[in-house]
Amino acid sequence: MSHASRRTALRALVRQAGLDALLVTDLVNVRYLTGFTGSNAALLLHADGDARTRFGTDGRYLTQSAAQVPDLEPVIERATARALVGRAAALDVAALGFESDAVTVEEHRALVDAAEGVTLERAPGLVQQLRVVKDDTEIDALRRACAIADAALAGLIAAGGIREGRTERDVALDLEERMRRLGAQAPAFESIVAAGANSAIPHHSPTGAQLRRGDLVKLDFGALVDGYHSDMTRTLVLGPPAEWQRELYDLVARSQAAGRAAVLPGTEVSDVDKASRSVIADAGRGGQFLHGLGHGVGLQIHEAPALSASGRGALAEGMAVTVEPGVYLEGRGGVRIEDTLVVRAGAAEPITLTTRELVEL
């Protein structure tokens, strides 16, 4: 879907909200609607069409904005959002929505001061309603990001990069460098490498702790491609696994399989969480599953929908989500298995392709 087509789809939501236009200031949403990747931008999207829509940025981005947003009339001002609001009345805008979930109190005051003859109305989440279902271009970017992460881990393992004596930090840096060499713009987020007892910490930052024989090693990482984030977790073991490690891994693997099977159009997100969580709860370890089952991925690493017990809404075809149950035994170790999937009729499409079998190194 083109950026112009996305703006057309958004206009229907703007009209349904009873607004003449929407001021988009969240940079992720601006990128989604225009393709612009700079650090200062806003969009005044008019309900009547692109002829009255204005794209704003500042003088640093004259060349970049001309190349990335050639189809919208530019407004070049440092205080971009205020400049657009100041032009709204002349564009026959009386009711102007703004992203109240992204605008600070101070920014709102500045917008009110600039809004002569225009009423500012809260309009949170309109762009996110569109972003939650990915188009083919977005899924292609996600698939390429997942493929890079898969290949980076495979290369790291083949090269003996996860071995006794290396530090968590060594492994993380090696993994991230491999993703860059394979074409990633950057890691999708700060990579997690957690060995031994540290693997029981869900979001552990890599340290100078050395990997030791017998350790569970948890790796949670992803690649950034064309602005889109992949997300995967694999838990490996250095040497033959102890009985408790294999039992824990098998439990999480069964839970993850149940979660993947529940990822279907029309399923409530809370029911997806329940399908996976109940496997762990039935084994008496529900209190050691410390987080939600998963989340949407796209232009942000965490976006809607939230697959959790408190999540609301149902899955729809084309959503991209993670399924990542984990069980964490404090002081001993933990296991998490995570895939990125696309919601499809019949069965979810996994775009993380690394084996889910327990890998012994």
Side-chain angles (χ1 to χ4, degrees):
M1 184 183 294
S2 69
H3 297 109
S5 297
R6 293 172 183 172
R7 295 194 295 270
T8 297
L10 179 59
R11 287 190 178 95
L13 299 179
V14 171
R15 289 190 290 268
Q16 289 174 17
L19 302 169
D20 300 312
L22 176 68
L23 180 69
V24 181
T25 52
D26 183 312
L27 285 173
V28 176
N29 290 339
V30 172
R31 178 173 184 164
Y32 178 78
L33 295 167
T34 68
F36 182 72
T37 59
S39 65
N40 182 29
L43 179 70
L44 193 153
L45 182 127
H46 202 291
D48 285 350
D50 275 353
R52 293 186 179 185
T53 292
R54 298 291 182 267
F55 169 79
T57 187
D58 65 64
R60 296 172 296 166
Y61 296 111
L62 276 172
T63 301
Q64 180 178 336
S65 62
Q68 292 182 329
V69 197
D71 52 346
L72 294 177
E73 184 174 323
V75 173
I76 308 300
E77 295 279 355
R78 182 70 178 187
T80 303
R82 279 179 281 169
L84 292 177
V85 171
R87 287 164 169 77
L91 295 168
D92 295 326
V93 173
L96 176 61
F98 71 98
E99 294 181 306
S100 54
D101 51 346
V103 173
T104 67
V105 172
E106 291 302 317
E107 289 167 346
H108 180 255
R109 287 176 179 171
L111 296 180
V112 170
D113 290 343
E116 295 184 13
V118 174
T119 301
L120 288 170
E121 300 187 15
R122 294 173 58 188
L126 294 186
V127 183
Q128 286 86 334
Q129 289 183 46
L130 300 179
R131 282 175 47 201
V132 71
V133 173
K134 273 53 182 181
D135 59 36
D136 289 344
T137 300
E138 294 178 289
I139 291 173
D140 177 66
L142 288 167
R143 188 177 284 114
R144 287 184 283 125
C146 287
I148 286 174
D150 284 331
L153 179 57
L156 182 65
I157 292 172
I162 306 175
R163 63 180 183 271
E164 190 173 5
R166 291 200 93 189
T167 69
E168 294 171 338
R169 193 175 293 116
D170 289 337
V171 175
L173 291 172
D174 195 343
L175 186 59
E176 292 177 356
E177 179 61 25
R178 288 174 185 275
M179 288 191 288
R180 290 180 186 274
R181 288 179 178 175
L182 288 164
Q185 297 166 254
F189 51 92
E190 181 186 358
S191 300
I192 295 171
V193 176
N198 289 338
S199 63
I201 303 170
H203 277 192
H204 172 72
S205 293
T207 69
Q210 292 187 337
L211 279 60
R212 298 177 301 177
R213 184 172 177 81
D215 279 352
L216 289 169
V217 182
K218 182 181 67 193
L219 304 101
D220 186 343
F221 64 101
L224 182 67
V225 173
D226 291 343
Y228 285 81
H229 302 71
S230 71
D231 195 359
M232 69 179 291
T233 305
R234 289 296 184 266
T235 305
L236 320 174
V237 63
L238 292 182
E243 184 177 353
W244 71 268
Q245 292 173 327
R246 184 172 293 282
E247 289 177 354
L248 193 64
Y249 193 93
D250 288 347
L251 174 62
V252 174
R254 286 190 285 110
S255 171
Q256 210 246 1
R260 293 197 320 271
V263 173
L264 294 168
T267 304
E268 292 290 322
V269 293
S270 58
D271 287 340
V272 181
D273 180 276
K274 182 178 180 181
S276 182
R277 192 174 300 275
S278 63
V279 174
I280 293 172
D282 289 348
R285 295 199 178 277
Q288 294 160 329
F289 183 175
L290 305 173
H291 49 74
L293 177 64
H295 53 86
V297 289
L299 285 170
Q300 293 174 294
I301 187 59
H302 293 107
E303 55 183 54
L307 276 59
S308 66
S310 60
R312 295 182 179 181
L315 296 177
E317 187 159 5
M319 289 180 175
V321 299
T322 68
V323 172
E324 50 178 306
V327 176
Y328 310 95
L329 309 184
E330 186 175 358
R332 297 183 71 190
V335 172
R336 181 162 69 245
I337 305 170
E338 175 185 20
D339 293 325
T340 299
L341 309 104
V342 179
V343 181
R344 303 292 193 195
E349 174 194 351
I351 55 176
T352 300
L353 301 180
T354 296
T355 181
R356 302 184 196 96
E357 298 297 319
L358 178 58
V359 174
E360 303 174 23
L361 300 174

